[in-house]
Amino acid sequence: MSSIQVQLIASIQAGLSSLFQIEDNELSLQETKKEFEGAYTFVVFPYTKRAGKAPAQIAQALGDYLIDNNPQLVKAYQVVQGFLNISLHDSIWYGLLQEMAEDKSAFQLAPKNEKIVIEYSSPNTNKPLHLGHLRNNFLGYSVAQILKSGGYEVVKTNLVNDRGIHICKSMLAYQLFGNGETPASSGLKGDHLVGKYYVAFDKAYKSEIEQLVATGIDPEKAKAQAPMMLQAQAMLLAWEQGESSVIQLWETMNAWVLDGFEASYKQMGVDFDKIYRESNTYLLGKKLVDEGLAQGVFYQKPDGSVWINLEEEGLDEKLVLRKDGTSVYITQDMGTAQLKYEDFGAQQSIYVVGNEQDYHFEVLFHILKKLQKPFSLGNYHLSYGMVDLPSGKMKSREGTVVDADDLMQEMVDTARERTLELGKIDGFSEEESNQLFQQLGMGALKYFLLKVDPKKRMLFNPEESIDFQGNTGPFIQYTHTRICSIRRKAVEKGFPLRGETQSKISFAESERELIYLLGTYKTKLTEACESFSPSIIAQYSFDLAKQFNKFYNELTILNEENEEIRTIRLTLADLTGKTIQHATSLLGIVSPERM
């Protein structure tokens, strides 16, 4: 909240108390809608009963009170039914601009003395990363950056799903069809090579099911009795029993995949403070199952499988250990939750996982509470919508996914084509050009995936995302380069970027709107922290870039002859550039200085 808002709220509170004997310590202001005059709007409808007056009467009386008691702050007001729209003196806007320009903590909220662990990415080592993983990684990384600026201590973790039946499917297919192929011999990244055999398993498995059904076997029984599935299940059991040949193949193929993931993460621009592997956490989960059995939290069925009954919680029965003693996803999630708490002792633990797993996490959190573990508190599932393509939903088993590596490269290539068409890189070296293409391509991709509220399902449109106009990453990045160009030229001419004026200030509307918008940044940052939503920062970045371009197109900056006015506008441009740079960095986007 800016100093202007603090002053205005205090004045309105005093007016309510003096005029109507109403005390309200949680009063708030809204931004005045564009079609009305004013900067801030105070809604008076909630006070009609206590004041015993009509809304317009309350607003009129408060407006007069503000003019009489704070003439240096409030210039004019407008009553629209129960809304009091307040206009401020230009000297107030100037004061706010100077305050923001001198604020050394302009982009950092006060420390919260609270630690948050955020888990994102969580890939499976049986396939490469795809478009859905990009939304996950960008979302997790951005939320972490936002929370850091929000004053929290943040730990970024990644739980790699490196064991289980799905991993064994790729391993089995490689055993059967691989012929010793390696990333080096095939020319494929390791994760792409292993993913090739995951698809091969599914193809062979479906063929076996069709053959069994053709002999008259029920389709569901055929799925369970198909040789490929029985062999994969046997391999999983052999893995948990430590059979050396299975472990050796598992380690080899996992190493291929993890090398591939590392290259993908570097291209994405995301990182982690700690990487967990389910192969190191599932045994801890099994111990928790044993504890729960002893406590009566879980129960064992005659076939040896272990379950929990959550019907009283409005859920269902949930398997936590298979009849052959092998663990399931929720078993290892229990173990990982304990390990993260032992490692970091965080007050909050955020899981960034798609909304297809909503039920899974509801069950997990109930289980942890029933086990009465200290890490059962502060858990939050940051559930996000799936990413669709014009052709429909992606399916990894069928190989109909948009590969993350291919898409990132396509975005960079498209950025290269568009930039060359527009002729924006005159005087750039090859290295500088390639760096710019990378920044624009990844900026476009990240912005498109983050500008949508995480909870919403979304349709990805690569062509729309790379446009240099409209609500896109490149538009915001280009605005930043424009501001950097103004800054460089001002320095070359010896114009100061800061300075105080002794004259009476008279701002244009586009200047007041830009100062107002800059003054809301910390509020937007707070909102983004509270809702774990980078879309708030994305929308703010676009609004700020759009408003700056309006200001730039309507007013002169470097060619302004009045030195004081020129300095004010340079201050405004400089602060806007720094704010755009910071806001986009929270989205994981690099804002270039030249284009």
Side-chain angles (χ1 to χ4, degrees), residues 112-127:
K112 303 295 188 299
N113 298 315
E114 186 174 332
K115 185 183 291 185
I116 297 177
V117 170
I118 179 164
E119 178 186 303
Y120 63 96
S121 195
S122 304
N124 298 328
T125 57
N126 63 324
K127 56 189 177 184

Side-chain angles (χ1 to χ4, degrees), residues 512-526:
R512 282 193 290 266
E513 289 175 357
L514 190 53
I515 294 169
Y516 174 87
L517 200 53
L518 287 165
T520 66
Y521 185 50
K522 283 189 175 181
T523 300
K524 295 298 181 183
L525 183 54
T526 300

Side-chain angles (χ1 to χ4, degrees), residues 234-250:
M235 180 175 277
L236 176 60
L237 191 58
W239 183 90
E240 291 212 5
Q241 292 171 347
E243 188 174 307
S244 60
S245 61
V246 174
I247 295 296
Q248 185 176 3
L249 177 62
W250 171 77

Side-chain angles (χ1 to χ4, degrees), residues 114-281:
E114 186 174 332
K115 185 183 291 185
I116 297 177
V117 170
I118 179 164
E119 178 186 303
Y120 63 96
S121 195
S122 304
N124 298 328
T125 57
N126 63 324
K127 56 189 177 184
L129 305 175
H130 56 62
L131 174 56
H133 290 113
L134 288 175
R135 189 178 197 191
N136 181 299
N137 279 278
F138 296 157
L139 179 58
Y141 180 84
S142 181
V143 169
Q145 298 305 102
I146 288 167
L147 289 171
K148 284 180 183 178
S149 279
Y152 295 91
E153 182 183 351
V154 181
V155 179
K156 295 175 288 186
T157 66
N158 181 3
L159 174 62
V160 178
N161 303 298
D162 66 341
R163 61 159 304 283
I165 190 68
H166 50 298
I167 309 299
C168 290
K169 289 176 181 179
S170 292
M171 291 165 59
L172 177 63
Y174 180 80
Q175 267 189 342
L176 296 173
F177 316 124
N179 298 315
E181 187 177 32
T182 67
S185 68
S186 66
L188 293 173
K189 274 181 76 211
D191 50 333
H192 287 249
L193 177 62
V194 173
K196 168 184 166 182
Y197 289 100
Y198 185 58
V199 174
F201 174 92
D202 192 62
K203 184 178 178 181
Y205 176 48
K206 282 182 176 177
S207 177
E208 289 181 347
I209 293 171
E210 289 172 2
Q211 292 173 29
L212 290 171
V213 170
T215 66
I217 295 177
D218 178 80
E220 289 305 312
K221 288 185 178 179
K223 289 178 183 178
Q225 294 174 9
M228 289 287 287
M229 180 56 72
L230 294 175
Q231 285 177 276
Q233 289 170 343
M235 180 175 277
L236 176 60
L237 191 58
W239 183 90
E240 291 212 5
Q241 292 171 347
E243 188 174 307
S244 60
S245 61
V246 174
I247 295 296
Q248 185 176 3
L249 177 62
W250 171 77
E251 288 177 341
T252 298
M253 294 181 71
N254 266 338
W256 292 344
V257 175
L258 294 175
D259 283 346
F261 285 169
E262 188 175 347
S264 297
Y265 289 141
K266 184 177 181 180
Q267 171 76 339
M268 288 180 206
V270 303
D271 57 15
F272 310 94
D273 300 306
K274 177 90 175 184
I275 296 179
Y276 293 97
R277 294 176 63 171
E278 287 195 354
S279 55
N280 295 326
T281 67

Side-chain angles (χ1 to χ4, degrees), residues 271-547:
D271 57 15
F272 310 94
D273 300 306
K274 177 90 175 184
I275 296 179
Y276 293 97
R277 294 176 63 171
E278 287 195 354
S279 55
N280 295 326
T281 67
Y282 83 102
L283 290 176
L284 189 53
K286 281 188 169 186
K287 287 183 180 179
L288 290 172
V289 171
D290 289 339
E291 283 183 31
L293 273 171
Q295 296 168 7
V297 173
F298 304 124
Y299 67 95
Q300 196 163 29
K301 288 189 175 182
D303 65 359
S305 59
V306 180
W307 298 70
I308 186 170
N309 189 333
L310 294 172
E311 291 176 343
E312 287 186 6
E313 285 75 18
L315 302 174
D316 205 341
E317 293 181 303
K318 176 67 178 177
L319 175 73
V320 295
L321 209 62
R322 294 189 186 95
K323 62 182 178 181
D324 61 5
T326 56
S327 64
V328 293
Y329 271 129
I330 210 152
T331 321
Q332 48 230 25
D333 280 344
M334 291 159 55
T336 308
Q338 179 169 326
L339 197 55
K340 285 194 295 187
Y341 184 77
E342 290 173 352
D343 286 344
F344 304 110
Q347 287 78 21
Q348 283 193 72
S349 183
I350 302 172
Y351 296 79
V352 183
V353 184
N355 58 16
E356 291 181 336
Q357 297 298 324
D358 284 353
Y359 184 82
H360 173 89
F361 282 98
E362 195 174 355
V363 169
L364 174 64
F365 298 161
H366 275 297
I367 288 175
L368 297 180
K369 285 178 182 177
K370 284 184 174 291
L371 290 172
Q372 297 182 332
K373 295 296 181 181
F375 47 89
S376 67
L377 304 174
N379 290 309
Y380 180 77
H381 174 205
L382 178 46
S383 173
Y384 63 90
M386 296 294 103
V387 183
D388 292 322
L389 298 165
S391 58
K393 186 178 178 181
M394 298 181 292
K395 296 178 181 177
S396 297
R397 288 187 299 276
E398 298 175 11
T400 59
V401 300
V402 174
D403 180 78
D405 294 320
D406 291 344
L407 178 57
M408 288 190 287
Q409 188 57 52
E410 180 186 330
M411 295 298 292
V412 173
D413 291 342
T414 304
R416 176 184 288 106
E417 292 170 12
R418 295 285 180 89
T419 307
L420 291 174
E421 285 172 8
L422 295 170
K424 292 182 178 293
I425 55 169
D426 294 340
F428 276 50
S429 67
E430 183 178 354
E431 183 181 351
E432 289 171 331
S433 297
N434 289 333
Q435 184 181 53
L436 178 63
F437 303 145
Q438 170 76 18
Q439 292 169 346
L440 291 175
M442 292 306 297
L445 182 58
K446 290 180 181 182
Y447 186 81
F448 197 92
L449 293 177
L450 290 174
K451 72 178 181 180
V452 178
D453 184 283
K455 297 181 180 63
K456 293 181 180 178
R457 194 168 188 138
M458 66 177 296
L459 184 70
F460 179 66
N461 184 332
E463 284 298 312
E464 182 184 329
S465 70
I466 201 71
D467 202 330
F468 280 83
Q469 297 298 322
N471 191 2
T472 66
F475 168 73
I476 298 167
Q477 289 171 306
Y478 181 61
T479 301
H480 180 261
T481 62
R482 169 174 277 172
I483 295 170
C484 289
S485 175
I486 293 169
R487 190 187 290 140
R488 284 194 300 272
K489 290 175 182 176
V491 171
E492 288 170 5
K493 292 175 179 287
F495 295 159
L497 299 177
R498 296 282 188 277
E500 295 187 5
T501 178
Q502 304 301 318
S503 306
K504 189 174 181 180
I505 306 299
S506 181
F507 282 122
E509 187 59 30
S510 60
E511 290 174 300
R512 282 193 290 266
E513 289 175 357
L514 190 53
I515 294 169
Y516 174 87
L517 200 53
L518 287 165
T520 66
Y521 185 50
K522 283 189 175 181
T523 300
K524 295 298 181 183
L525 183 54
T526 300
E527 290 175 9
C529 283
E530 291 174 348
S531 59
F532 306 122
S533 180
S535 63
I536 293 172
I537 300 299
Q539 185 61 49
Y540 175 84
S541 302
F542 172 63
D543 290 341
L544 186 59
K546 185 170 63 173
Q547 183 57 43

